[in-house]
mmCIF file of all heavy atoms in Angstrom:
data_model
loop_
_atom_site.group_PDB
_atom_site.id
_atom_site.type_symbol
_atom_site.label_atom_id
_atom_site.label_comp_id
_atom_site.label_asym_id
_atom_site.label_seq_id
_atom_site.Cartn_x
_atom_site.Cartn_y
_atom_site.Cartn_z
ATOM 1 N N TYR A 265 -4.877 -9.340 -4.486
ATOM 2 C CA TYR A 265 -3.891 -8.191 -4.767
ATOM 3 C C TYR A 265 -3.611 -8.149 -6.331
ATOM 4 O O TYR A 265 -2.725 -7.324 -6.683
ATOM 5 C CB TYR A 265 -2.637 -8.269 -4.019
ATOM 6 C CG TYR A 265 -2.836 -8.005 -2.474
ATOM 7 C CD1 TYR A 265 -1.816 -8.081 -1.609
ATOM 8 C CD2 TYR A 265 -4.162 -7.559 -1.966
ATOM 9 C CE1 TYR A 265 -1.983 -7.744 -0.281
ATOM 10 C CE2 TYR A 265 -4.284 -7.235 -0.598
ATOM 11 C CZ TYR A 265 -3.206 -7.357 0.265
ATOM 12 O OH TYR A 265 -3.366 -7.143 1.588
ATOM 13 N N ALA A 266 -4.161 -8.964 -7.136
ATOM 14 C CA ALA A 266 -3.862 -9.010 -8.529
ATOM 15 C C ALA A 266 -5.163 -8.759 -9.288
ATOM 16 O O ALA A 266 -6.102 -9.591 -9.264
ATOM 17 C CB ALA A 266 -3.188 -10.298 -8.925
ATOM 18 N N PRO A 267 -5.276 -7.683 -10.044
ATOM 19 C CA PRO A 267 -6.494 -7.448 -10.766
ATOM 20 C C PRO A 267 -6.763 -8.412 -11.944
ATOM 21 O O PRO A 267 -7.925 -8.500 -12.368
ATOM 22 C CB PRO A 267 -6.291 -5.956 -11.364
ATOM 23 C CG PRO A 267 -5.285 -5.402 -10.508
ATOM 24 C CD PRO A 267 -4.360 -6.562 -10.099
ATOM 25 N N TRP A 268 -5.666 -9.048 -12.415
ATOM 26 C CA TRP A 268 -5.842 -10.007 -13.558
ATOM 27 C C TRP A 268 -5.186 -11.349 -13.112
ATOM 28 O O TRP A 268 -4.430 -11.443 -12.235
ATOM 29 C CB TRP A 268 -5.180 -9.444 -14.768
ATOM 30 C CG TRP A 268 -5.629 -8.130 -15.251
ATOM 31 C CD1 TRP A 268 -6.682 -7.879 -15.972
ATOM 32 C CD2 TRP A 268 -5.041 -6.877 -14.891
ATOM 33 N NE1 TRP A 268 -6.842 -6.533 -16.205
ATOM 34 C CE2 TRP A 268 -5.797 -5.880 -15.567
ATOM 35 C CE3 TRP A 268 -3.942 -6.436 -14.177
ATOM 36 C CZ2 TRP A 268 -5.574 -4.474 -15.378
ATOM 37 C CZ3 TRP A 268 -3.720 -5.109 -13.958
ATOM 38 C CH2 TRP A 268 -4.489 -4.108 -14.619
ATOM 39 N N PHE A 270 -2.658 -14.204 -13.275
ATOM 40 C CA PHE A 270 -1.251 -14.175 -13.527
ATOM 41 C C PHE A 270 -0.962 -14.662 -14.912
ATOM 42 O O PHE A 270 -1.286 -15.781 -15.391
ATOM 43 C CB PHE A 270 -0.358 -15.073 -12.550
ATOM 44 C CG PHE A 270 -0.476 -14.546 -11.142
ATOM 45 C CD1 PHE A 270 -0.157 -15.494 -10.091
ATOM 46 C CD2 PHE A 270 -1.003 -13.264 -10.793
ATOM 47 C CE1 PHE A 270 -0.154 -14.947 -8.776
ATOM 48 C CE2 PHE A 270 -1.027 -12.856 -9.534
ATOM 49 C CZ PHE A 270 -0.570 -13.738 -8.476
ATOM 50 N N SER A 271 -0.257 -13.845 -15.710
ATOM 51 C CA SER A 271 0.088 -14.211 -17.081
ATOM 52 C C SER A 271 1.563 -14.520 -17.281
ATOM 53 O O SER A 271 1.910 -15.122 -18.314
ATOM 54 C CB SER A 271 -0.338 -13.070 -18.076
ATOM 55 O OG SER A 271 0.457 -11.865 -17.728
ATOM 56 N N ASN A 272 2.428 -14.195 -16.340
ATOM 57 C CA ASN A 272 3.828 -14.414 -16.519
ATOM 58 C C ASN A 272 4.335 -15.472 -15.580
ATOM 59 O O ASN A 272 5.320 -15.244 -14.772
ATOM 60 C CB ASN A 272 4.561 -13.059 -16.285
ATOM 61 C CG ASN A 272 6.068 -13.169 -16.760
ATOM 62 O OD1 ASN A 272 6.453 -14.024 -17.538
ATOM 63 N ND2 ASN A 272 6.870 -12.334 -16.178
ATOM 64 N N SER A 318 3.365 -3.219 -0.536
ATOM 65 C CA SER A 318 4.565 -3.771 -1.050
ATOM 66 C C SER A 318 4.355 -5.064 -1.743
ATOM 67 O O SER A 318 3.448 -5.744 -1.396
ATOM 68 C CB SER A 318 5.584 -4.021 0.139
ATOM 69 O OG SER A 318 5.012 -4.950 0.994
ATOM 70 N N SER A 319 5.300 -5.378 -2.666
ATOM 71 C CA SER A 319 5.189 -6.591 -3.484
ATOM 72 C C SER A 319 3.852 -6.729 -4.138
ATOM 73 O O SER A 319 3.478 -5.728 -4.893
ATOM 74 C CB SER A 319 5.412 -7.839 -2.571
ATOM 75 O OG SER A 319 5.708 -8.964 -3.323
ATOM 76 N N LEU A 320 3.042 -7.733 -3.969
ATOM 77 C CA LEU A 320 1.733 -7.736 -4.559
ATOM 78 C C LEU A 320 0.872 -6.605 -4.009
ATOM 79 O O LEU A 320 -0.042 -6.033 -4.682
ATOM 80 C CB LEU A 320 1.025 -9.099 -4.317
ATOM 81 C CG LEU A 320 1.367 -10.142 -5.394
ATOM 82 C CD1 LEU A 320 0.793 -11.557 -4.888
ATOM 83 C CD2 LEU A 320 0.670 -9.786 -6.728
ATOM 84 N N GLY A 321 1.063 -6.205 -2.776
ATOM 85 C CA GLY A 321 0.403 -5.035 -2.216
ATOM 86 C C GLY A 321 0.728 -3.714 -2.944
ATOM 87 O O GLY A 321 -0.069 -2.884 -3.020
ATOM 88 N N GLY A 322 1.992 -3.710 -3.545
ATOM 89 C CA GLY A 322 2.248 -2.655 -4.474
ATOM 90 C C GLY A 322 1.516 -2.641 -5.714
ATOM 91 O O GLY A 322 1.107 -1.600 -6.274
ATOM 92 N N ASN A 323 1.268 -3.931 -6.206
ATOM 93 C CA ASN A 323 0.484 -4.039 -7.416
ATOM 94 C C ASN A 323 -0.928 -3.430 -7.278
ATOM 95 O O ASN A 323 -1.362 -2.619 -8.136
ATOM 96 C CB ASN A 323 0.187 -5.579 -7.792
ATOM 97 C CG ASN A 323 1.459 -6.212 -8.190
ATOM 98 O OD1 ASN A 323 2.585 -5.895 -7.804
ATOM 99 N ND2 ASN A 323 1.346 -7.290 -9.049
ATOM 100 N N ILE A 324 -1.551 -3.862 -6.213
ATOM 101 C CA ILE A 324 -2.943 -3.384 -6.005
ATOM 102 C C ILE A 324 -2.994 -1.915 -5.712
ATOM 103 O O ILE A 324 -3.939 -1.218 -6.080
ATOM 104 C CB ILE A 324 -3.719 -4.232 -4.936
ATOM 105 C CG1 ILE A 324 -5.207 -4.093 -5.097
ATOM 106 C CG2 ILE A 324 -3.180 -3.901 -3.569
ATOM 107 C CD1 ILE A 324 -5.794 -4.613 -6.356
ATOM 108 N N THR A 325 -1.932 -1.391 -5.115
ATOM 109 C CA THR A 325 -1.835 0.069 -4.863
ATOM 110 C C THR A 325 -1.770 0.788 -6.249
ATOM 111 O O THR A 325 -2.442 1.835 -6.375
ATOM 112 C CB THR A 325 -0.632 0.360 -4.029
ATOM 113 O OG1 THR A 325 -0.793 -0.285 -2.712
ATOM 114 C CG2 THR A 325 -0.532 1.897 -3.783
ATOM 115 N N GLN A 326 -0.900 0.274 -7.159
ATOM 116 C CA GLN A 326 -0.865 0.893 -8.474
ATOM 117 C C GLN A 326 -2.228 0.887 -9.171
ATOM 118 O O GLN A 326 -2.629 1.935 -9.711
ATOM 119 C CB GLN A 326 0.143 0.101 -9.334
ATOM 120 C CG GLN A 326 1.632 0.233 -8.914
ATOM 121 C CD GLN A 326 2.475 -0.595 -9.819
ATOM 122 O OE1 GLN A 326 3.368 -1.333 -9.298
ATOM 123 N NE2 GLN A 326 2.377 -0.518 -11.097
ATOM 124 N N PHE A 327 -2.888 -0.271 -9.107
ATOM 125 C CA PHE A 327 -4.195 -0.375 -9.810
ATOM 126 C C PHE A 327 -5.200 0.598 -9.159
ATOM 127 O O PHE A 327 -5.898 1.267 -9.936
ATOM 128 C CB PHE A 327 -4.705 -1.851 -9.683
ATOM 129 C CG PHE A 327 -5.987 -2.066 -10.235
ATOM 130 C CD1 PHE A 327 -6.173 -2.166 -11.560
ATOM 131 C CD2 PHE A 327 -7.115 -2.261 -9.370
ATOM 132 C CE1 PHE A 327 -7.456 -2.497 -12.131
ATOM 133 C CE2 PHE A 327 -8.303 -2.505 -9.823
ATOM 134 C CZ PHE A 327 -8.555 -2.601 -11.233
ATOM 135 N N VAL A 341 4.448 2.785 -3.454
ATOM 136 C CA VAL A 341 4.610 1.463 -4.184
ATOM 137 C C VAL A 341 5.938 0.982 -3.929
ATOM 138 O O VAL A 341 6.896 1.429 -4.467
ATOM 139 C CB VAL A 341 4.312 1.651 -5.617
ATOM 140 C CG1 VAL A 341 4.468 0.353 -6.354
ATOM 141 C CG2 VAL A 341 2.960 2.275 -5.874
ATOM 142 N N PHE A 342 6.096 -0.076 -2.998
ATOM 143 C CA PHE A 342 7.372 -0.680 -2.606
ATOM 144 C C PHE A 342 7.500 -2.053 -3.344
ATOM 145 O O PHE A 342 6.644 -2.873 -3.198
ATOM 146 C CB PHE A 342 7.423 -0.849 -1.070
ATOM 147 C CG PHE A 342 7.513 0.492 -0.314
ATOM 148 C CD1 PHE A 342 6.456 1.328 -0.188
ATOM 149 C CD2 PHE A 342 8.726 0.750 0.243
ATOM 150 C CE1 PHE A 342 6.552 2.444 0.549
ATOM 151 C CE2 PHE A 342 8.857 1.936 1.001
ATOM 152 C CZ PHE A 342 7.783 2.819 1.186
ATOM 153 N N SER A 343 8.562 -2.211 -4.026
ATOM 154 C CA SER A 343 8.959 -3.540 -4.551
ATOM 155 C C SER A 343 7.794 -4.212 -5.321
ATOM 156 O O SER A 343 7.432 -5.356 -5.101
ATOM 157 C CB SER A 343 9.425 -4.478 -3.459
ATOM 158 O OG SER A 343 10.497 -3.929 -2.720
ATOM 159 N N SER A 344 7.225 -3.440 -6.238
ATOM 160 C CA SER A 344 6.065 -4.003 -6.946
ATOM 161 C C SER A 344 6.381 -5.335 -7.731
ATOM 162 O O SER A 344 7.403 -5.381 -8.368
ATOM 163 C CB SER A 344 5.553 -2.947 -7.970
ATOM 164 O OG SER A 344 4.572 -3.502 -8.714
ATOM 165 N N ALA A 345 5.445 -6.233 -7.540
ATOM 166 C CA ALA A 345 5.601 -7.502 -8.283
ATOM 167 C C ALA A 345 4.730 -7.493 -9.485
ATOM 168 O O ALA A 345 4.150 -8.521 -9.843
ATOM 169 C CB ALA A 345 5.200 -8.703 -7.359
ATOM 170 N N ASN A 346 4.635 -6.350 -10.092
ATOM 171 C CA ASN A 346 3.702 -6.212 -11.234
ATOM 172 C C ASN A 346 4.208 -6.992 -12.479
ATOM 173 O O ASN A 346 3.485 -7.021 -13.496
ATOM 174 C CB ASN A 346 3.556 -4.689 -11.600
ATOM 175 C CG ASN A 346 2.156 -4.449 -12.210
ATOM 176 O OD1 ASN A 346 1.169 -5.059 -11.792
ATOM 177 N ND2 ASN A 346 2.102 -3.476 -13.016
ATOM 178 N N TRP A 347 5.380 -7.576 -12.378
ATOM 179 C CA TRP A 347 5.847 -8.530 -13.502
ATOM 180 C C TRP A 347 4.825 -9.605 -13.760
ATOM 181 O O TRP A 347 4.860 -10.172 -14.858
ATOM 182 C CB TRP A 347 7.245 -8.978 -13.263
ATOM 183 C CG TRP A 347 7.489 -9.620 -11.957
ATOM 184 C CD1 TRP A 347 7.965 -8.979 -10.793
ATOM 185 C CD2 TRP A 347 7.318 -11.022 -11.576
ATOM 186 N NE1 TRP A 347 8.014 -9.893 -9.703
ATOM 187 C CE2 TRP A 347 7.592 -11.130 -10.182
ATOM 188 C CE3 TRP A 347 6.848 -12.123 -12.263
ATOM 189 C CZ2 TRP A 347 7.549 -12.372 -9.559
ATOM 190 C CZ3 TRP A 347 6.784 -13.390 -11.551
ATOM 191 C CH2 TRP A 347 7.135 -13.404 -10.239
ATOM 192 N N LEU A 348 4.068 -9.940 -12.718
ATOM 193 C CA LEU A 348 3.103 -11.095 -12.857
ATOM 194 C C LEU A 348 2.007 -10.682 -13.903
ATOM 195 O O LEU A 348 1.327 -11.540 -14.447
ATOM 196 C CB LEU A 348 2.493 -11.303 -11.503
ATOM 197 C CG LEU A 348 3.379 -12.073 -10.537
ATOM 198 C CD1 LEU A 348 2.924 -11.977 -9.103
ATOM 199 C CD2 LEU A 348 3.481 -13.542 -10.938
ATOM 200 N N ASN A 349 1.742 -9.378 -14.041
ATOM 201 C CA ASN A 349 0.699 -8.826 -14.973
ATOM 202 C C ASN A 349 1.273 -7.688 -15.710
ATOM 203 O O ASN A 349 0.521 -6.692 -15.942
ATOM 204 C CB ASN A 349 -0.553 -8.391 -14.180
ATOM 205 C CG ASN A 349 -1.360 -9.528 -13.663
ATOM 206 O OD1 ASN A 349 -1.629 -9.603 -12.402
ATOM 207 N ND2 ASN A 349 -1.702 -10.534 -14.483
ATOM 208 N N ARG A 350 2.422 -7.765 -16.223
ATOM 209 C CA ARG A 350 3.055 -6.564 -16.952
ATOM 210 C C ARG A 350 2.273 -6.141 -18.081
ATOM 211 O O ARG A 350 1.926 -4.940 -18.189
ATOM 212 C CB ARG A 350 4.482 -6.970 -17.331
ATOM 213 C CG ARG A 350 5.172 -5.872 -18.136
ATOM 214 C CD ARG A 350 6.544 -6.299 -18.572
ATOM 215 N NE ARG A 350 7.464 -6.441 -17.429
ATOM 216 C CZ ARG A 350 8.667 -6.885 -17.495
ATOM 217 N NH1 ARG A 350 9.142 -7.171 -18.667
ATOM 218 N NH2 ARG A 350 9.459 -6.966 -16.405
ATOM 219 N N ASN A 351 1.896 -6.971 -18.958
ATOM 220 C CA ASN A 351 1.267 -6.610 -20.227
ATOM 221 C C ASN A 351 -0.156 -6.056 -19.966
ATOM 222 O O ASN A 351 -0.576 -5.083 -20.526
ATOM 223 C CB ASN A 351 1.203 -7.761 -21.232
ATOM 224 C CG ASN A 351 2.550 -8.178 -21.700
ATOM 225 O OD1 ASN A 351 3.480 -7.385 -21.769
ATOM 226 N ND2 ASN A 351 2.671 -9.444 -22.009
ATOM 227 N N GLU A 352 -0.830 -6.684 -19.033
ATOM 228 C CA GLU A 352 -2.194 -6.267 -18.632
ATOM 229 C C GLU A 352 -2.239 -4.922 -18.087
ATOM 230 O O GLU A 352 -3.018 -4.055 -18.508
ATOM 231 C CB GLU A 352 -2.870 -7.220 -17.713
ATOM 232 C CG GLU A 352 -3.187 -8.663 -18.265
ATOM 233 C CD GLU A 352 -2.047 -9.558 -18.226
ATOM 234 O OE1 GLU A 352 -0.881 -9.126 -17.878
ATOM 235 O OE2 GLU A 352 -2.197 -10.772 -18.535
ATOM 236 N N PHE A 353 -1.312 -4.646 -17.168
ATOM 237 C CA PHE A 353 -1.267 -3.270 -16.540
ATOM 238 C C PHE A 353 -0.830 -2.244 -17.490
ATOM 239 O O PHE A 353 -1.400 -1.173 -17.516
ATOM 240 C CB PHE A 353 -0.347 -3.331 -15.346
ATOM 241 C CG PHE A 353 -0.340 -2.012 -14.570
ATOM 242 C CD1 PHE A 353 -1.400 -1.672 -13.699
ATOM 243 C CD2 PHE A 353 0.662 -1.119 -14.726
ATOM 244 C CE1 PHE A 353 -1.451 -0.512 -12.992
ATOM 245 C CE2 PHE A 353 0.635 0.108 -14.036
ATOM 246 C CZ PHE A 353 -0.421 0.378 -13.174
ATOM 247 N N ASP A 354 0.074 -2.561 -18.362
ATOM 248 C CA ASP A 354 0.499 -1.652 -19.368
ATOM 249 C C ASP A 354 -0.593 -1.184 -20.255
ATOM 250 O O ASP A 354 -0.802 0.089 -20.557
ATOM 251 C CB ASP A 354 1.697 -2.259 -20.215
ATOM 252 C CG ASP A 354 2.388 -1.153 -21.045
ATOM 253 O OD1 ASP A 354 2.616 -0.044 -20.542
ATOM 254 O OD2 ASP A 354 2.697 -1.495 -22.248
ATOM 255 N N ARG A 355 -1.369 -2.108 -20.791
ATOM 256 C CA ARG A 355 -2.547 -1.726 -21.561
ATOM 257 C C ARG A 355 -3.524 -0.959 -20.792
ATOM 258 O O ARG A 355 -4.183 0.042 -21.305
ATOM 259 C CB ARG A 355 -3.234 -3.027 -22.160
ATOM 260 C CG ARG A 355 -2.368 -3.748 -23.224
ATOM 261 C CD ARG A 355 -3.190 -4.807 -23.967
ATOM 262 N NE ARG A 355 -3.681 -5.907 -23.056
ATOM 263 C CZ ARG A 355 -3.045 -6.996 -22.844
ATOM 264 N NH1 ARG A 355 -1.891 -7.181 -23.440
ATOM 265 N NH2 ARG A 355 -3.424 -7.895 -22.025
ATOM 266 N N PHE A 356 -3.767 -1.382 -19.543
ATOM 267 C CA PHE A 356 -4.764 -0.732 -18.695
ATOM 268 C C PHE A 356 -4.425 0.764 -18.399
ATOM 269 O O PHE A 356 -5.252 1.681 -18.625
ATOM 270 C CB PHE A 356 -4.777 -1.489 -17.373
ATOM 271 C CG PHE A 356 -5.560 -0.839 -16.292
ATOM 272 C CD1 PHE A 356 -6.926 -0.682 -16.288
ATOM 273 C CD2 PHE A 356 -4.885 -0.228 -15.220
ATOM 274 C CE1 PHE A 356 -7.601 -0.085 -15.244
ATOM 275 C CE2 PHE A 356 -5.530 0.382 -14.257
ATOM 276 C CZ PHE A 356 -6.905 0.470 -14.196
ATOM 277 N N ILE A 357 -3.193 1.055 -18.016
ATOM 278 C CA ILE A 357 -2.774 2.384 -17.639
ATOM 279 C C ILE A 357 -2.733 3.268 -18.885
ATOM 280 O O ILE A 357 -2.963 4.535 -18.776
ATOM 281 C CB ILE A 357 -1.405 2.390 -16.837
ATOM 282 C CG1 ILE A 357 -1.301 3.670 -16.115
ATOM 283 C CG2 ILE A 357 -0.288 2.090 -17.713
ATOM 284 C CD1 ILE A 357 -0.132 3.678 -15.091
ATOM 285 N N ASP A 381 9.132 -16.294 -5.603
ATOM 286 C CA ASP A 381 9.191 -15.701 -6.949
ATOM 287 C C ASP A 381 9.979 -16.560 -7.973
ATOM 288 O O ASP A 381 9.569 -16.707 -9.109
ATOM 289 C CB ASP A 381 9.935 -14.375 -6.844
ATOM 290 C CG ASP A 381 9.147 -13.301 -5.998
ATOM 291 O OD1 ASP A 381 7.873 -13.330 -6.097
ATOM 292 O OD2 ASP A 381 9.729 -12.498 -5.294
ATOM 293 N N PHE A 392 13.496 -8.351 -13.072
ATOM 294 C CA PHE A 392 12.013 -8.287 -13.200
ATOM 295 C C PHE A 392 11.586 -7.104 -12.275
ATOM 296 O O PHE A 392 10.833 -6.273 -12.692
ATOM 297 C CB PHE A 392 11.286 -9.540 -12.893
ATOM 298 C CG PHE A 392 11.343 -10.537 -13.956
ATOM 299 C CD1 PHE A 392 11.928 -10.374 -15.167
ATOM 300 C CD2 PHE A 392 10.593 -11.733 -13.779
ATOM 301 C CE1 PHE A 392 11.955 -11.291 -16.161
ATOM 302 C CE2 PHE A 392 10.604 -12.735 -14.782
ATOM 303 C CZ PHE A 392 11.269 -12.473 -15.934
ATOM 304 N N TYR A 393 12.001 -7.152 -11.006
ATOM 305 C CA TYR A 393 11.616 -6.162 -10.074
ATOM 306 C C TYR A 393 12.075 -4.752 -10.449
ATOM 307 O O TYR A 393 11.325 -3.787 -10.411
ATOM 308 C CB TYR A 393 12.062 -6.553 -8.620
ATOM 309 C CG TYR A 393 11.129 -7.431 -7.973
ATOM 310 C CD1 TYR A 393 11.403 -8.810 -7.920
ATOM 311 C CD2 TYR A 393 9.878 -7.031 -7.412
ATOM 312 C CE1 TYR A 393 10.514 -9.738 -7.315
ATOM 313 C CE2 TYR A 393 9.001 -7.882 -6.820
ATOM 314 C CZ TYR A 393 9.326 -9.225 -6.768
ATOM 315 O OH TYR A 393 8.492 -10.102 -6.072
ATOM 316 N N LEU A 394 13.314 -4.621 -10.852
ATOM 317 C CA LEU A 394 13.772 -3.337 -11.318
ATOM 318 C C LEU A 394 13.066 -2.861 -12.555
ATOM 319 O O LEU A 394 12.643 -1.700 -12.580
ATOM 320 C CB LEU A 394 15.330 -3.479 -11.690
ATOM 321 C CG LEU A 394 16.292 -3.436 -10.568
ATOM 322 C CD1 LEU A 394 17.723 -3.872 -10.985
ATOM 323 C CD2 LEU A 394 16.279 -2.071 -9.893
ATOM 324 N N ASP A 395 12.839 -3.711 -13.451
ATOM 325 C CA ASP A 395 12.160 -3.364 -14.637
ATOM 326 C C ASP A 395 10.685 -2.822 -14.414
ATOM 327 O O ASP A 395 10.319 -1.838 -14.950
ATOM 328 C CB ASP A 395 12.029 -4.634 -15.668
ATOM 329 C CG ASP A 395 13.397 -4.907 -16.311
ATOM 330 O OD1 ASP A 395 14.254 -4.156 -16.207
ATOM 331 O OD2 ASP A 395 13.432 -6.000 -16.888
ATOM 332 N N GLU A 396 10.026 -3.455 -13.458
ATOM 333 C CA GLU A 396 8.652 -3.082 -13.208
ATOM 334 C C GLU A 396 8.661 -1.732 -12.559
ATOM 335 O O GLU A 396 7.731 -0.882 -12.902
ATOM 336 C CB GLU A 396 7.990 -4.065 -12.226
ATOM 337 C CG GLU A 396 7.681 -5.400 -12.877
ATOM 338 C CD GLU A 396 7.019 -5.300 -14.211
ATOM 339 O OE1 GLU A 396 6.097 -4.546 -14.311
ATOM 340 O OE2 GLU A 396 7.435 -5.920 -15.118
ATOM 341 N N SER A 397 9.518 -1.394 -11.607
ATOM 342 C CA SER A 397 9.514 -0.069 -11.058
ATOM 343 C C SER A 397 9.930 1.075 -12.067
ATOM 344 O O SER A 397 9.298 2.056 -12.123
ATOM 345 C CB SER A 397 10.425 0.001 -9.808
ATOM 346 O OG SER A 397 9.920 -0.876 -8.831
ATOM 347 N N LEU A 399 9.503 0.772 -15.273
ATOM 348 C CA LEU A 399 8.390 0.863 -16.246
ATOM 349 C C LEU A 399 7.268 1.702 -15.659
ATOM 350 O O LEU A 399 6.699 2.519 -16.384
ATOM 351 C CB LEU A 399 7.936 -0.515 -16.588
ATOM 352 C CG LEU A 399 6.673 -0.620 -17.578
ATOM 353 C CD1 LEU A 399 6.881 0.134 -18.842
ATOM 354 C CD2 LEU A 399 6.297 -1.973 -17.774
ATOM 355 N N TYR A 400 6.949 1.464 -14.445
ATOM 356 C CA TYR A 400 5.894 2.206 -13.752
ATOM 357 C C TYR A 400 6.198 3.754 -13.711
ATOM 358 O O TYR A 400 5.365 4.569 -13.984
ATOM 359 C CB TYR A 400 5.674 1.662 -12.368
ATOM 360 C CG TYR A 400 4.552 2.276 -11.561
ATOM 361 C CD1 TYR A 400 3.307 2.570 -12.136
ATOM 362 C CD2 TYR A 400 4.789 2.659 -10.247
ATOM 363 C CE1 TYR A 400 2.254 3.209 -11.291
ATOM 364 C CE2 TYR A 400 3.750 3.280 -9.446
ATOM 365 C CZ TYR A 400 2.548 3.504 -10.042
ATOM 366 O OH TYR A 400 1.519 4.141 -9.284
ATOM 367 N N GLN A 403 5.606 5.035 -17.145
ATOM 368 C CA GLN A 403 4.148 5.096 -17.409
ATOM 369 C C GLN A 403 3.536 6.335 -16.741
ATOM 370 O O GLN A 403 2.720 6.936 -17.369
ATOM 371 C CB GLN A 403 3.486 3.822 -16.853
ATOM 372 C CG GLN A 403 3.813 2.577 -17.685
ATOM 373 C CD GLN A 403 3.432 1.281 -16.929
ATOM 374 O OE1 GLN A 403 3.404 1.236 -15.719
ATOM 375 N NE2 GLN A 403 3.225 0.231 -17.664
ATOM 376 N N HIS A 424 14.073 -8.052 -0.891
ATOM 377 C CA HIS A 424 12.511 -8.032 -0.901
ATOM 378 C C HIS A 424 12.092 -8.322 0.565
ATOM 379 O O HIS A 424 11.815 -9.477 0.869
ATOM 380 C CB HIS A 424 11.994 -9.049 -1.822
ATOM 381 C CG HIS A 424 10.558 -8.856 -2.300
ATOM 382 N ND1 HIS A 424 10.159 -7.999 -3.234
ATOM 383 C CD2 HIS A 424 9.486 -9.481 -1.821
ATOM 384 C CE1 HIS A 424 8.791 -8.122 -3.265
ATOM 385 N NE2 HIS A 424 8.389 -9.049 -2.545
#
Side-chain angles (χ1 to χ4, degrees):
Y265 288 178
W268 303 275
F270 294 166
S271 59
N272 191 23
S318 62
S319 195
L320 272 168
N323 292 30
I324 199 64
T325 298
Q326 290 177 230
F327 176 76
V341 179
F342 289 74
S343 303
S344 173
N346 211 32
W347 50 269
L348 288 161
N349 286 127
R350 175 181 295 177
N351 294 332
E352 292 86 351
F353 184 78
D354 191 43
R355 289 194 296 268
F356 167 74
I357 197 169
D381 293 328
F392 282 1
Y393 276 101
L394 278 171
D395 287 349
E396 288 314 311
S397 292
L399 175 60
Y400 181 45
Q403 290 165 333
H424 197 79

